[in-house]
Amino acid sequence: MTDLRVVPVDGASMLEQWRYVHNVIVPPAAMSAEDARERAERYRLENAYLGEELVGCSTVRPPTGEEAVATVIARVLPAFRGRGFGTALYLRALDHARRAGARAVETCVLAVNEDGLRFAGHHGFVETERYVLDGERDEWADLRLSPLPGEPGNDSRNLAGT
């Protein structure tokens, strides 16, 4: 995994790559180029590459509210799963959320994405809600990790062996 590079999205080409991974992983929430541009203005978006090959992406929504809750989402293309890339993306996103002042972290997973739910659970996330958006059919799961790993009240062993 020494060739894995995770870099902030910079420019239209990288944003299109981020959008591609997003749309492959969560087709019910596929977004247009305009949607992706809007996300890039509000959130930290990163792409992961193995050498020069795109393997995944991440999103960090900054902390909000009294609880300073950030949202981190790591996505890995199916052909690259099970090799630690998701963990690398997740840990980097978690670090960014922590540096941005997050005191709690959430994530959101398409409920049929068993790999994503398993990954989140492995990293200490607990499901808090399942829902279907108005006018939609697909079920989503919100999961929460609070407090952050390594802080008082949380067993940092959640990340052991990753």
Side-chain angles (χ1 to χ4, degrees), residues 30-57:
M31 63 177 65
S32 68
E34 179 59 33
D35 292 335
R37 282 190 293 277
E38 181 268 327
R39 298 287 193 301
E41 291 175 11
R42 295 187 300 148
Y43 307 141
R44 179 178 182 85
L45 309 180
E46 293 188 328
N47 287 341
Y49 302 91
L50 183 58
E52 296 301 314
E53 191 168 9
L54 179 68
V55 300
C57 72

Side-chain angles (χ1 to χ4, degrees), residues 9-21:
V9 168
D10 184 22
S13 176
M14 288 182 74
L15 184 58
E16 182 56 28
Q17 291 176 330
W18 179 92
R19 184 173 81 97
Y20 168 77
V21 175

Side-chain angles (χ1 to χ4, degrees), residues 98-153:
R98 178 180 285 166
R99 286 185 283 118
R103 291 192 310 270
V105 173
E106 295 180 340
T107 195
C108 179
V109 179
L110 186 60
V112 298
N113 180 351
E114 293 177 11
D115 288 342
L117 291 171
R118 216 175 2 263
F119 179 88
H122 174 76
H123 288 283
F125 284 83
V126 176
E127 190 172 316
T128 58
E129 180 181 14
R130 284 204 180 209
Y131 56 92
V132 176
L133 297 171
D134 289 341
E136 302 291 327
R137 292 180 285 136
D138 298 291
E139 186 175 48
W140 295 88
D142 284 348
L143 301 99
R144 186 171 180 128
L145 174 68
S146 177
L148 291 176
E151 292 184 356

